[in-house]
Amino acid sequence: MSQKNKSRPAPWEAGLPLGGVDSHAHLDMPGAFAESVPETLERARKAGLARVGNVFLGPKAYADNVRLFDGQPDVFFLLGIHPGDAAKAVPGDLAAMEQAFRADARLAAIGEIGLDFYWDAAPRDVQAQLFADQLALAKELGKPVAVHCRDAYDETMAILADAGYRDRPLLWHCFGGDETQAREILSHGWTISIPGPVTYAKNAALRQAAAAIDLTRLLLETDCPYLAPEPYRGKRNEPAYLVFTALAVAALKNLDPAVVWRTTGDNARRFFGV
Ligand SMILES: [Zn+2]
């Protein structure tokens, strides 16, 4: 281990009790974790995580990779076609998703679905149609949704209004907005998930929003392998690092970290029904 690594605390050194939940992880992402899912989950448990929500980016990823989680009862699943993949979606994808949800009780939510006008990897009208179709499927299946929204706040809100999603179970994944947006999202009866960038000192708007959001409406996520929190910023993220996001949120709210850990974990279990 290098000198540099020695200066960073390990996540389990925080001593948080078993009970945290990572609401959004990509453990099946090619090359990131595929060789070491059991070890990664072992580190997560050691750090106090009781559950990890793995997000499959479409029915093919689910079919190809679900075996990685054989014998891992702490992991529940989200499955959805990401807006960045909207142009690659094929007829039959939604039917394959529906079939998977009906066959596998570990599939707890449809996500991540939404709009991404930052990367614009697919035409916007194609993203919007796929988003609406998946919102309809979630309604039909009676499952909650996890929304991905990047540089498309107004358009996302408009589609959700059209789809009749006010007061339905909806998680605003990887929230990166400000307090005004957070309050508007909560006013629709939805839930917000805070990622690692809340630990970045320069992220004043997000830190202010996290401080303001009612703890009962808040979940935590890593979005790993991306968005590692401080003091691991720039490294590969993993579920165990959720601890550092919880510590930052607790400091912003002036609360005991164990309370933030347990409450956000309970919120996640209630939201996903796991
Ligand atoms: Zn994600």
Side-chain angles (χ1 to χ4, degrees):
M1 189 186 278
S2 73
Q3 283 303 109
K4 226 179 162 191
N5 280 333
K6 272 185 186 166
S7 66
R8 293 192 186 98
W12 35 88
E13 286 173 29
L16 291 177
L18 189 67
V21 176
D22 183 354
S23 79
H24 195 110
H26 295 277
L27 297 179
D28 65 313
M29 202 153 264
F33 296 99
E35 302 310 310
S36 61
V37 165
E39 294 87 340
T40 304
L41 290 169
E42 193 51 48
R43 289 194 297 277
R45 276 187 288 274
K46 191 176 170 188
L49 280 100
R51 294 274 191 284
V52 174
N54 189 72
V55 183
F56 292 104
L57 296 175
K60 187 177 185 311
Y62 170 78
D64 289 349
N65 301 333
V66 66
R67 56 167 184 81
L68 293 171
F69 303 98
D70 287 349
Q72 299 292 351
D74 298 349
V75 182
F76 61 94
F77 303 151
L78 296 82
L79 166 58
I81 304 171
H82 189 283
D85 296 328
K88 289 182 268 173
V90 296
D93 274 351
L94 290 189
M97 279 174 59
E98 177 172 0
Q99 201 173 22
F101 272 88
R102 297 203 190 278
D104 187 347
R106 294 170 296 177
L107 283 163
I110 291 201
E112 53 191 293
I113 60 173
L115 301 175
D116 194 318
F117 294 173
Y118 176 81
W119 291 109
D120 267 335
R124 293 180 175 187
D125 59 324
V126 175
Q127 294 187 39
Q129 185 60 53
L130 181 65
F131 185 24
D133 289 347
Q134 292 185 95
L135 289 170
L137 177 60
K139 261 190 180 177
E140 192 187 318
L141 291 168
K143 294 290 183 185
V145 299
V147 166
H148 170 107
C149 168
R150 191 152 181 206
D151 286 2
Y153 181 77
D154 292 341
E155 295 85 349
T156 299
M157 294 300 270
I159 288 174
L160 290 171
D162 282 351
Y165 258 72
R166 181 179 273 274
D167 293 321
R168 291 189 63 84
L170 182 148
L171 182 62
W172 201 281
H173 136 72
C174 205
F175 180 74
D178 59 18
E179 184 179 341
T180 304
Q181 286 181 353
R183 289 195 186 283
E184 190 180 10
I185 289 165
L186 295 180
S187 77
H188 286 72
W190 301 331
T191 304
I192 287 176
S193 183
I194 297 280
V198 75
T199 64
Y200 306 166
K202 283 188 178 161
N203 235 334
L206 175 59
R207 290 166 69 83
Q208 188 190 338
I213 299 168
D214 186 338
L215 188 62
T216 63
R217 309 286 293 281
L218 199 63
L219 271 55
L220 303 178
E221 68 172 74
T222 59
D223 205 10
C224 63
Y226 310 113
L227 298 178
E230 294 285 3
Y232 288 89
R233 186 175 184 175
K235 303 282 179 194
R236 184 194 72 176
N237 199 3
E238 63 173 73
Y241 294 170
L242 190 71
V243 164
F244 301 108
T245 302
L247 295 178
V249 168
L252 289 164
K253 289 184 162 308
N254 204 14
L255 289 171
D256 179 349
V259 170
V260 169
W261 191 242
R262 274 211 196 87
T263 307
T264 56
D266 289 347
N267 295 344
R269 277 192 289 272
R270 209 177 320 114
F271 180 85
F272 290 109
V274 296

